[in-house]
Amino acid sequence: MVRTVYSPEYCLQYLEQYASKEIFVIGLILGQTTSARENVIHLARTPDEKGSDSASEVSYSSDKTDLLKNLLSVSDAWVADHAKHVTRMLPGGMFVQGIFITSDEDIFDDPNHFSKVKSILNYMYKALNVDQYMYGNCPYSNERLVLHMSTNTKVLTCKTVEVGTANKTGLMKPVEWKFLPKAQQWQRLDCYYEFDEVYPVIVKKSGISVKHQFQQILESAHKTIESSVMFIDGELKDGSEALEQLIKKKKPKSAVTKTSQQEVPKSMHVSLFVPFENSLPETVEYLECDGSIHFSGVVSSSVFMCPKATISEAITAVKQDIIRSLASRFTMHCDALIDDNLLPEEKVCFNEPPRRVLVPVGSLYLCDYLFPGEAPAEALLSVRELLDLQITEADVVCDVETPADTSEFDALDRDASSEELLATPQEASQFMYITGICFAMFVLVVSILIHYYDSIVEVIGKLLSRT
């Protein structure tokens, strides 16, 4: 059975725009794969590479200083780095599905060019697989799309190439690509997940690694979210049911008209509940720490699913979105630090990772992240460089997350007076130990009173009768 991919018609116009100029272009295919359908949402041209001595120094710029002439001159690391940056902007359930190319070469029949295509895709696969919490690679398939438009004949060809395996033959499979004249329908699911956790900090000889601390927070958050139960509009749904069935159930029969069918479905509210037994550790260990990280805030999640997708697929996408968003912010925050080996002199240190904003792409939204003090105009630069889109500042939705309230931290003085308010690790453990004994004694007294309640009442009755 031939694999079928659906994409909006403007993707065809996007390809023709570059093919008509008879120039070589390579870029990313962004989309969503579900059990019912595979949709492409956008094609994003990879920016032209600026000269650098190492792959770790790559930086994107709109300056066309080093235009690529053909496929063989493409840097595998450059395209993979582009894929990593774009993955941060994708909501849960959406992935980089492959690459597109406009050129005058026949990339499928020429052995050298086809070998280069496989090299790029495999390098991208390995790069995206490094951070498991970024969910860079689609878990449903190891096949990646390769879309090619000839600048000479304007013929469009799409095939799949398997990645991440020991198979060196690189078997190609044909793909039927369908362009839709109308905008695709998407079901939006919104979730606000609140974090309020305290994590221990242990200072080693090498100091405190901020990246290591954040990695531990991600591991804990991942376990918690994976164990949670998802409710849609306050109800627990059957995982095998399609989202479009929920939409039909909510509509009264009298409202099923031609006009109502053309309306955009309303957003579904998603709530995640963590079972109590999964919120407690299996074993409790005594741990003397040098400090703690209070991780607090609300993560805004907006996921867009094909209406034919199942509830189970929607659940997975929402959970992916929350973890991917955290992983993206932590990575950006650590990259912005001057020294990752951070041991602040202050007793209280406040850090605010970037907040999420939404940017429109077709009939749905992707996201970007703004650091404290940055204006929405900063998002326009990322969208133009990474997604090859032109939007205005008014298009950026900035109110999905509000800046952090730092008033309680500003009230703390960074002097000796604030140091007196903070107990040492020994004092803190002693306080918790004493509190535990008092609470245990209280529970013991109450249990004795309950156990001997009848006997006590009888004795009191006899004493009262004598008087």
Side-chain angles (χ1 to χ4, degrees), residues 90-92 301-303 317-325 356:
L90 297 176
S301 171
S302 292
V303 169
V318 172
K319 292 180 178 180
Q320 283 178 353
D321 186 71
I322 297 173
I323 297 299
R324 179 186 281 174
S325 180
R356 197 176 210 176

Side-chain angles (χ1 to χ4, degrees), residues 17-18 48 54 83 98 121 139 159 175 190 226 281 299 325 377 429 449:
Q17 165 193 343
Y18 289 114
D48 296 312
S54 65
L121 292 176
K159 296 184 180 182
V175 175
D190 290 325
E226 284 299 319
V299 173
S325 180
S429 61
L449 290 175

Side-chain angles (χ1 to χ4, degrees), residues 301-435:
S301 171
S302 292
V303 169
F304 297 84
M305 300 294 296
C306 170
K308 295 184 179 297
T310 63
I311 299 295
S312 178
E313 290 171 333
I315 292 174
T316 301
V318 172
K319 292 180 178 180
Q320 283 178 353
D321 186 71
I322 297 173
I323 297 299
R324 179 186 281 174
S325 180
L326 286 177
S328 300
R329 299 173 207 237
F330 288 169
T331 301
M332 296 175 67
H333 183 69
C334 290
D335 290 344
L337 294 176
I338 299 176
D339 184 12
D340 177 63
N341 224 2
L342 190 62
L343 182 59
E345 296 179 359
E346 297 89 350
K347 290 292 183 179
V348 178
C349 181
F350 177 76
N351 285 274
E352 184 180 354
R355 63 189 177 95
R356 197 176 210 176
V357 296
L358 300 181
V359 292
V361 176
S363 56
L364 48 77
Y365 287 90
L366 304 190
C367 69
D368 197 12
Y369 298 94
L370 298 179
F371 282 95
E374 288 186 336
E378 297 292 335
L380 303 184
L381 181 62
S382 300
V383 171
R384 182 171 65 251
E385 291 179 353
L386 299 175
L387 300 179
D388 197 18
L389 273 176
Q390 297 293 334
I391 62 174
T392 64
E393 190 171 339
D395 295 327
V396 182
V397 182
C398 300
D399 58 354
V400 292
E401 291 181 352
T402 58
D405 182 9
T406 62
S407 57
E408 59 176 307
F409 296 96
D410 296 336
L412 295 176
D413 296 328
R414 304 290 198 263
D415 53 15
S417 61
S418 65
E419 294 180 8
E420 296 175 358
L421 297 175
L422 299 173
T424 63
Q426 291 79 7
E427 293 170 341
S429 61
Q430 185 180 14
F431 173 75
M432 293 180 65
Y433 180 70
I434 293 174
T435 303

Side-chain angles (χ1 to χ4, degrees), residues 197-347:
E197 303 289 342
V198 178
Y199 300 91
V201 175
I202 301 176
V203 179
K204 300 180 180 180
K205 292 183 180 180
S206 58
I208 299 176
S209 171
V210 178
K211 186 176 295 186
H212 177 69
Q213 296 294 333
F214 282 162
Q215 191 69 16
Q216 290 183 331
I217 293 176
L218 269 177
E219 291 175 4
S220 176
H222 178 259
K223 292 179 181 178
T224 301
I225 292 175
E226 284 299 319
S227 67
S228 62
V229 179
M230 190 172 89
F231 288 72
I232 298 180
D233 289 338
E235 298 179 359
L236 185 63
K237 305 294 184 181
D238 181 10
S240 61
E241 191 174 7
L243 288 173
E244 61 183 359
Q245 296 299 322
L246 299 184
I247 302 172
K248 292 179 180 178
K249 289 180 180 179
K250 290 182 177 295
K251 287 184 178 181
K253 293 182 179 180
S254 58
V256 182
T257 61
K258 292 183 179 180
T259 56
S260 64
Q261 289 175 351
Q262 294 175 356
E263 293 179 356
V264 178
K266 294 183 178 179
S267 170
M268 293 180 176
H269 178 68
V270 176
S271 303
L272 293 179
F273 294 91
V274 181
F276 179 72
E277 62 271 13
N278 290 331
S279 63
L280 297 177
E282 296 180 359
T283 58
V284 179
E285 298 180 359
Y286 175 77
L287 182 66
E288 184 174 319
C289 59
D290 302 280
S292 63
I293 294 179
H294 184 193
F295 185 61
S296 179
V298 178
V299 173
S300 171
S301 171
S302 292
V303 169
F304 297 84
M305 300 294 296
C306 170
K308 295 184 179 297
T310 63
I311 299 295
S312 178
E313 290 171 333
I315 292 174
T316 301
V318 172
K319 292 180 178 180
Q320 283 178 353
D321 186 71
I322 297 173
I323 297 299
R324 179 186 281 174
S325 180
L326 286 177
S328 300
R329 299 173 207 237
F330 288 169
T331 301
M332 296 175 67
H333 183 69
C334 290
D335 290 344
L337 294 176
I338 299 176
D339 184 12
D340 177 63
N341 224 2
L342 190 62
L343 182 59
E345 296 179 359
E346 297 89 350
K347 290 292 183 179

Side-chain angles (χ1 to χ4, degrees), residues 6-68:
Y6 300 88
S7 75
E9 195 170 21
Y10 77 81
C11 289
L12 176 60
Q13 300 168 357
Y14 183 82
L15 291 170
E16 292 175 340
Q17 165 193 343
Y18 289 114
S20 61
K21 298 177 182 178
E22 298 185 353
I23 59 175
F24 169 80
V25 170
I26 186 171
L28 306 177
I29 302 174
L30 315 180
Q32 180 181 95
T33 301
T34 64
S35 57
R37 182 163 168 161
E38 184 168 6
N39 292 301
V40 168
I41 62 169
H42 185 61
L43 303 178
R45 175 184 179 178
T46 298
D48 296 312
E49 184 176 2
K50 296 186 68 176
S52 61
D53 297 332
S54 65
S56 60
E57 298 176 356
V58 295
S59 61
Y60 294 101
S61 173
S62 57
D63 299 331
K64 303 298 184 291
T65 57
D66 188 17
L67 292 174
L68 296 173

